[in-house]
């Protein structure tokens, strides 16, 4: 017999979580960021700003890492679609788009922790799908934003919060001052809670849709109050290009900057790999002969050496997995031949990834 | 006293063309139920039972050899299966189908009834479980049926599915009935099509591969 049936106990389904930095370089932090003047000048530039790992004008292999959009409940900060229809502009579209995704309700206002800012606007950093894979890893965010000679470091509160909150976009955590999921206790004027501001938290961390919502009102605060004086522009029927304001006009840095800071954006993706393990067992009396033509001498079928009559030796190189119809569905090769004879048993674990 | 090596060998498997086809069909045929081992690439003439250093060195030329990666073509891998036979077996089972190569005209039919020599000490010529007949390119045959083994599996395998790609087909039986394709477009500018027929004993594991040529008649 050449085929051996597998028992139900020979199968194991395993799901392993793989985490890695989100960026194309697979390293944290991402310190080299670029935008495209072509994209900014295009139609999509009215809605969002693509951020690349290399300069797309000189490097054809540059890849989008994330994009930044700005949403405003009143449509401020961008040109109106139609000057005669007040309030309908790309920023209003972006606001409604994210509100629909996050709250699933056209009447709900964005709130950050317990505060619902008067200025209903935000910045959305949406990680490229190929970068965040299945979801973002809570507790892995560290984002530096600069303001002149001052800086703030933002993270999510997933490691310190005792309960996980859910919205229409899955899990939601507050973005707070700190790094790697740990809040930093700062003397921020009027802060409603540790690591927050008078305008509430710095935003929302939505790992299941790969998005970071930043509270524009919090970022607009002066540094003593926890902000970076971002000075978000909210003019009516004017293209204020707020996403570029958050990104910075200096290449490679997120946030307003005039110094020689290096940008720093650390974030990990998370992915579940499901594997099937099949345990193939060859008992001592099994698989000790072979139909290999070099094992046979001549056309009579006699084994090559007399030694093989009572002490046959074979070498396993390949494992084949079959269905009931003897159709070969999957194969696995060993790295080197595995000796098999009547004194040896072999156990080979075959891994099938899906 | 030393430590025993109790490591499990872990290897990553790849799907064969047939495996991908079964997965895509989503009809339950991608269900692994059995395994087999093979020693493709091993040349047993490298085994030296006269090595002066002793029996531990008989397989010296084989045991350290590097192996190739797996091929996804199911007809090009798992060629030589390891088999379970009683200790003391002096002659290995051999399949005889009466042909060393087959040439079929378009639309011509042929029946093959294999025999297994040296099987069960030579007391039996035909294998109880029958034979697997695998054609390398299913498009070259308009009929490719196995008869003589009446199980649900063997019946299901005889069903015809129109496939536009070069994949293998396996049927089960004691006798194979096949007819060369009548479709001219498969030939293109050529006058003949070539593929292989693999016959494998389901009990003995013995295997023989025969080249098949289909010749164009018009």
């Amino acid at each position: 017999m050449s085929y051996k049936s597998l028992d139900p106990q020979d199968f194991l389904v395993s799901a392993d979580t793989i985490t890695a930095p989100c960026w194309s370089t697979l390293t944290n932090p991402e310190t080299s960021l670029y935008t495209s003047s072509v994209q900014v000048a295009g139609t999509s530039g009215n809605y969002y700003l693509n951020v690349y790992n290399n300069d797309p004008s000189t490097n054809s292999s540059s890849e989008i890492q994330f994009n930044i959009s700005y949403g405003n409940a009143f449509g401020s900060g961008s040109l109106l679609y139609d000057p005669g229809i007040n309030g309908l502009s790309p920023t209003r579209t972006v606001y409604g788009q994210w509100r629909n995704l996050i709250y699933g309700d056209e009447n709900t206002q964005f709130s950050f922790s317990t505060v619902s800012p008067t200025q209903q606007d935000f910045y959305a950093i949406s990680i490229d799908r190929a970068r965040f894979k299945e979801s973002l890893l809570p507790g892995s965010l560290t984002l530096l934003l600069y303001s002149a000679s001052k800086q703030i470091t933002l993270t999510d509160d997933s490691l310190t919060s005792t309960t996980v909150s859910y919205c229409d976009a899955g899990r939601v955590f507050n973005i707070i001052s700190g790094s790697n999921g740990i809040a930093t206790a700062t003397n921020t004027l009027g802060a409603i809670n540790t690591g927050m501001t008078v305008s509430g938290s710095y935003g929302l961390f939505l790992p299941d849709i790969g998005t970071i919502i930043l509270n524009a009102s919090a970022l607009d605060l002066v540094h003593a109050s926890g902000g970076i004086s971002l000075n978000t522009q909210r003019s009516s029927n004017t293209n204020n290009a707020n996403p570029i304001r958050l990104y910075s006009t200096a290449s490679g840095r997120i946030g307003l900057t005039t110094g020689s800071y290096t940008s720093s954006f650390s974030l990990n993706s998370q992915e579940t790999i499901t594997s099937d393990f099949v345990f193939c067992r060859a008992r001592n009396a099994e698989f000790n002969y072979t139909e290999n033509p070099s094992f046979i001498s001549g056309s009579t079928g006699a084994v090559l050496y007399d030694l093989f009559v009572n002490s046959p030796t074979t070498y396993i190189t390949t494992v084949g997995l079959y269905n009931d119809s003897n159709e070969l569905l999957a194969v696995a090769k060993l790295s080197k031949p595995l000796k098999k004879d009547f004194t040896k048993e072999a156990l080979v674990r075959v891994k099938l990834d899906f | 006293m030393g430590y025993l090596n109790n490591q499990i060998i872990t290897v990553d498997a790849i799907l064969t063309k047939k495996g991908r086809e079964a997965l895509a069909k989503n009809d339950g045929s991608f269900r692994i139920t059995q395994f087999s081992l093979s020693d493709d690439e091993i040349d047993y003439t490298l085994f030296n039972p006269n090595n002066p250093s002793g029996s531990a060195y008989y397989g010296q030329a084989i045991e350290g050899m590097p192996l190739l990666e797996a091929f996804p073509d199911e007809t090009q891998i798992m060629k030589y299966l390891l088999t379970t036979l009683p200790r003391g077996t002096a002659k290995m089972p051999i399949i005889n189908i009466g042909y060393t190569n087959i040439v079929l005209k378009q639309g011509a039919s042929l029946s093959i009834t294999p025999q297994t020599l040296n099987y069960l000490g030579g007391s039996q010529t035909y294998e109880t479980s029958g034979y697997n007949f695998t054609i390398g390119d299913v498009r070259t045959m308009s009929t490719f049926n196995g008869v003589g083994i009446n199980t649900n599996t063997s019946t299901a395998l005889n069903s015809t599915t129109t496939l536009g790609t070069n994949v293998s087909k396996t049927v089960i039986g004691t006798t194979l009935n096949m007819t060369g394709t009548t479709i001219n477009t498969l030939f293109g500018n050529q006058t003949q099509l070539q593929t292989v027929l693999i016959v494998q004993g389901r009990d003995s594991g013995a295997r023989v591969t025969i080249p098949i040529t289909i010749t164009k008649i018009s």
Side-chain angles (χ1 to χ4, degrees), chain B residues 57-80:
Chain B
Y57 294 88
Y58 289 174
Q60 185 181 36
I62 296 174
E63 287 161 18
M65 68 181 283
L67 297 175
L68 298 171
E69 290 182 304
F71 309 128
D73 187 337
E74 64 278 357
T75 63
Q76 301 303 323
I77 200 163
M78 297 299 292
K79 286 183 170 180
Y80 310 123

Side-chain angles (χ1 to χ4, degrees), chain A residues 1-6 11 280-282 285-296 299-305 307-311 313-339 342 347-352 354, chain B residues 8-16 18-19 22 29-45 47 49 58-59 62-63 65 67-71 74 77-78 80-94 118 132 153 157 200 202-206:
Chain A
M1 298 288 266
S2 296
Y3 302 95
K4 185 174 179 184
S5 295
L6 292 158
F11 294 92
C280 302
R281 293 175 172 82
E286 298 170 339
F287 301 109
N288 294 320
Y289 292 89
T290 172
E291 289 295 332
N292 190 313
S294 68
F295 191 81
I296 299 166
S299 59
T300 61
V303 295
L304 183 63
Y305 303 117
L307 177 74
F308 284 167
V309 175
N310 286 308
S311 301
T313 301
T314 56
Y315 291 91
I316 303 166
T317 63
T318 316
V319 182
L321 303 176
Y322 297 81
N323 60 12
D324 278 336
S325 307
N326 285 78
E327 291 176 318
L328 181 59
L329 303 177
V331 286
K333 289 292 290 275
L334 275 59
S335 59
K336 63 178 186 178
L338 179 65
K339 189 177 180 181
F342 274 101
L347 173 56
V348 181
R349 183 173 65 176
V350 180
K351 185 173 176 234
L352 268 171
F354 292 100
Chain B
I8 297 174
I9 299 162
T10 303
V11 288
D12 288 331
I14 61 163
L15 297 186
T16 60
K18 178 59 73 175
S29 57
F30 189 88
R31 184 168 171 268
I32 294 167
T33 57
Q34 50 187 343
F35 77 95
S36 188
L37 306 173
S38 85
D39 59 1
D40 295 1
E41 300 181 53
I42 300 297
D43 177 0
Y44 284 94
T45 60
F47 191 87
Y58 289 174
I62 296 174
E63 287 161 18
M65 68 181 283
L67 297 175
L68 298 171
E69 290 182 304
F71 309 128
E74 64 278 357
I77 200 163
M78 297 299 292
Y80 310 123
L81 301 187
L82 303 188
T83 60
T84 301
L85 294 170
R87 194 167 193 165
T89 299
K91 288 187 175 181
M92 298 299 297
I94 293 176
N118 305 327
N132 289 333
T153 300
L157 286 173
Q200 190 169 42
R202 286 168 58 81
D203 292 327
S204 69

Side-chain angles (χ1 to χ4, degrees), chain A residues 111-116 174 192-193 196 199-204:
Chain A
S111 63
F112 303 99
S113 186
T114 56
V115 178
S116 185
N174 279 304
I192 62 162
N193 215 331
M196 297 188 186
S199 297
S201 72
Y202 285 96
L204 306 174

Side-chain angles (χ1 to χ4, degrees), chain A residues 100-246:
Chain A
N100 186 273
L101 274 173
I102 296 168
Y103 296 112
D105 178 1
E106 75 278 13
N107 296 315
T108 303
Q109 291 196 320
F110 274 82
S111 63
F112 303 99
S113 186
T114 56
V115 178
S116 185
T118 309
Q119 294 288 350
Q120 274 289 303
D121 59 353
F122 57 81
Y123 294 90
I125 298 177
S126 185
I127 310 298
D128 189 73
R129 223 299 295 159
R131 307 276 83 78
F132 82 84
K133 298 185 173 69
E134 202 171 279
S135 65
L136 299 174
L137 178 66
S140 67
L141 171 66
T142 302
L143 171 62
L144 268 63
L145 297 177
Y146 299 98
S147 166
S149 59
K150 305 288 176 54
Q151 71 178 51
I152 61 172
T153 309
L154 302 181
T155 188
D156 62 87
D157 68 351
S158 59
L159 299 185
T160 51
S161 64
T162 53
T163 57
V164 178
S165 300
Y166 287 84
C167 63
D168 267 29
R171 295 169 293 172
V172 56
F173 302 97
N174 279 304
I175 293 177
I176 56 174
S177 174
S179 60
N180 294 318
I182 307 296
T184 302
T186 53
N187 296 319
T188 304
L189 295 173
I192 62 162
N193 215 331
T194 303
M196 297 188 186
T197 70
V198 68
S199 297
S201 72
Y202 285 96
L204 306 174
F205 183 70
L206 302 155
D208 297 321
I209 60 169
T211 298
I212 296 164
I213 300 289
L214 291 176
N215 179 355
S217 298
L219 298 182
D220 286 345
L221 295 169
V222 296
H223 189 263
S225 299
I228 56 169
S229 304
L230 185 59
N231 196 22
T232 301
Q233 299 294 295
R234 302 175 177 91
S235 307
S236 178
N237 198 20
T238 305
N239 183 4
N240 291 137
N242 283 320
I244 296 176
R245 185 174 297 278
L246 178 65

